[in-house]
Amino acid sequence: MNPGDRVRVDRADRTYEGVLLPSSTDDHLVVKLEGGYNVGVDRAEAEIETLEEDVYEIDGTDATGPEDDDASDEGADSEIEFDDDLPTISLLSTGGTIASTVDYRTGAVTAQFDAEDVLRAVPDLAGRANYRGRVVANILSENMEPPLWQDLARAVYEEIEAGADGVVVMHGTDTMQYSASALSFMLETPVPIVFTGSQRSADRPSSDNVMNAVSAVEAAKSDCAEVMVCMHGSESDDVCALHRGTRVRKNHTSRRDAFETVGAEPLGEIDYDTEEIEFRRDYQQRGEADLELREDLADDVELLKFTPGMDPAFLDVVEGSEGLILEGTGLGHVHTDLIPRIEELVEDGTTVVMTSQCLEGRVCDRVYDTGRDLLEAGVIEAGDTLPGTAKVKLMWALENSDDVEEAMGTSLAGEIQERSVPWE
């Protein structure tokens, strides 16, 4: 019985059929099921039958236990040759599915690759650029926190200062839009900074990690010196879309083309076959800005979605906070009974900013009485800034702007559009 064999595993009242994967322990088997997922099974509690030998060729020894030291070290060191004719791209890893591998004890996917492992895992990156690898964090993106945004911003700054022609940040998709927004405000950049990730891990046949990584490197070589998110632009393996970091949103839990630019076309699109980049909107040119880092963030800003029947006590929770983003209905409204409490928060020093739950359009609290009352209470309008982006921006503005109200109403990194027009 070897890795690559098709097996049937019976354990208790469950039966699994699939391809046997290498195991890193004596006690567990790992089977890749037909649907692409992996399952880890306790060897002592399972009955195993080989259905077909050598269905797939899988590197490694056998499935009876861990590989020996010599085998496990093979390929561990990769020599990266530098070509003076190629640009230098820094690959920064924060974890996430694109930097994940299989835990052969449980069959689950865990974030444990370092940046150089990405080069070994995606050989298609070879010959496109000279690479520098750096691990900033090794987490799943739901565990991302503002101090890590600051670590990441400093790392990007240092890489560009050291001569990188572009930076690719490998990041989990769940909170990628927040991190991209954070770096959009914290950094003035003369080169592209491209976030990318993967909706499906490398061990699955439908993985998007190679195409996203290759397209992100091509974007990092382009003339668009902005913070961008590069992910699949369709369900097929044909194009990747380039989204501005402050206007992007993950709109699907699992589809490969989960990310969309809200309220406009993406900045551009990369044809995977031809590797040509077509930009559809204006952008900041490479070399146009001087490198600058302003990393300070207020750490006490909350985001609160208003819903009908919401307990007013939620506003008590944010009492004393530096800032509050309200996600209101329609043009930017909340229940009129909440307005006196909101006014008290403003008077006590909390900066309160209004955004809309609507995916398209901007807030305008001058149309209805409720909106006018909110403005009189001291609430600041954020235009069509996305609520998550508004939170990040307020965290930054409270520490870096002399006039927070003006900053929140001004487009600093493309977060506010000139006009909100739905497009098809």
Side-chain angles (χ1 to χ4, degrees):
M1 182 175 61
N2 296 307
D5 293 349
R6 185 177 299 280
V7 298
R8 178 185 293 117
V9 179
D10 293 307
R11 178 182 177 274
D13 58 346
R14 300 293 300 273
T15 298
Y16 305 101
E17 287 191 14
V19 176
L20 190 66
L21 297 179
S23 177
S24 58
T25 73
D26 289 320
D27 300 326
H28 294 86
L29 296 170
V30 179
V31 178
K32 176 171 286 295
L33 306 180
E34 293 294 338
Y37 290 96
N38 307 311
V39 60
V41 181
D42 190 318
R43 183 187 296 270
E45 299 177 1
E47 295 182 4
I48 309 147
E49 177 185 355
T50 300
L51 302 178
E52 187 178 356
E53 294 183 351
D54 299 327
V55 175
Y56 292 100
E57 182 178 347
I58 297 178
D59 292 336
T61 53
D62 58 27
T64 58
E67 301 175 356
D68 61 42
D69 288 341
D70 291 338
S72 63
D73 287 341
E74 185 177 353
D77 295 325
S78 60
E79 182 177 345
I80 304 173
E81 297 183 359
F82 278 74
D83 185 335
D84 291 337
D85 295 329
L86 292 176
T88 297
I89 303 298
S90 291
L91 302 178
L92 304 188
S93 175
T94 66
T97 303
I98 196 169
S100 295
T101 188
V102 181
D103 181 340
Y104 290 119
R105 179 180 60 83
T106 64
V109 174
T110 58
Q112 56 189 34
F113 269 129
D114 64 25
E116 288 193 353
D117 287 324
V118 176
L119 297 181
R120 288 193 292 269
V122 187
D124 295 48
L125 292 176
R128 299 175 183 273
N130 300 314
Y131 297 105
R132 292 204 298 255
R134 181 168 179 176
V135 178
V136 179
N138 194 8
I139 62 170
L140 300 174
S141 75
E142 57 265 34
N143 297 326
M144 182 61 66
E145 295 182 351
L148 287 176
W149 294 339
Q150 295 171 309
D151 291 343
L152 181 57
R154 284 191 292 268
V156 170
Y157 177 87
E158 290 167 1
E159 292 298 317
I160 297 173
E161 192 177 42
D165 297 300
V167 177
V168 172
V169 179
M170 297 188 174
H171 195 292
T173 59
D174 279 4
T175 60
M176 185 188 295
Q177 64 204 54
Y178 293 92
S179 298
S181 288
L183 265 64
S184 297
F185 297 116
M186 297 164 74
L187 284 163
E188 288 287 341
T189 176
V191 304
I193 301 170
V194 186
F195 280 76
T196 194
S198 178
Q199 286 285 83
R200 299 172 189 174
S201 55
D203 63 295
R204 297 185 62 187
S206 61
S207 178
D208 51 342
N209 72 326
V210 172
M211 179 171 165
N212 291 349
V214 168
S215 297
V217 167
E218 292 301 318
K221 293 159 53 180
S222 75
D223 288 330
C224 180
E226 295 196 17
V227 177
M228 296 175 278
V229 168
C230 177
M231 295 289 289
H232 261 56
S234 73
E235 291 186 88
S236 301
D237 291 327
D238 51 0
V239 296
C240 273
L242 298 176
H243 307 279
R244 181 165 276 140
T246 55
R247 293 299 308 178
V248 66
R249 188 177 189 271
K250 185 178 181 179
N251 282 342
H252 197 281
T253 58
S254 58
R255 278 175 50 147
R256 298 191 300 174
D257 58 341
F259 284 78
E260 297 178 8
T261 293
V262 177
E265 291 185 298
L267 272 177
E269 190 175 83
I270 301 177
D271 186 296
Y272 188 52
D273 290 330
T274 66
E275 299 178 0
E276 293 181 355
I277 304 178
E278 178 186 358
F279 285 102
R280 299 171 175 170
R281 302 167 63 194
D282 293 336
Y283 55 84
Q284 179 175 281
Q285 295 280 339
R286 176 184 289 273
E288 189 175 315
D290 294 328
L291 180 63
E292 183 180 359
L293 172 65
R294 300 172 70 184
E295 64 184 287
D296 292 340
L297 296 173
D299 58 5
D300 194 11
V301 174
E302 302 297 336
L303 171 59
L304 179 62
K305 179 190 288 286
F306 165 74
T307 57
M310 187 183 81
D311 189 337
F314 278 109
L315 291 172
D316 296 335
V317 175
V318 299
E319 184 175 3
S321 297
E322 292 181 77
L324 170 65
I325 302 295
L326 285 173
E327 196 174 325
T329 58
L331 291 168
H333 300 146
V334 298
H335 196 293
T336 53
D337 289 349
L338 298 178
I339 296 176
R341 184 69 183 99
I342 292 172
E343 186 173 14
E344 290 176 359
L345 291 175
V346 173
E347 291 175 349
D348 290 341
T350 299
T351 300
V352 180
V353 177
M354 181 63 72
T355 63
S356 177
Q357 299 171 16
C358 299
L359 293 181
E360 305 281 356
R362 64 188 63 237
V363 298
C364 182
D365 283 318
R366 293 167 177 81
V367 178
Y368 298 103
D369 288 343
T370 299
R372 293 176 181 271
D373 291 341
L374 284 164
L375 292 176
E376 290 181 6
V379 173
I380 298 170
E381 295 177 311
D384 66 343
T385 308
L386 304 180
T389 299
K391 174 179 177 175
V392 176
K393 180 180 181 180
L394 183 56
M395 295 173 69
W396 182 87
L398 285 167
E399 293 295 321
N400 294 279
S401 177
D402 295 330
D403 189 333
V404 174
E405 181 174 0
E406 181 181 2
M408 295 305 297
T410 303
S411 184
L412 304 179
E415 71 280 6
I416 299 177
Q417 301 182 112
E418 291 185 6
R419 58 191 187 121
S420 302
V421 178
W423 62 281
E424 297 297 337

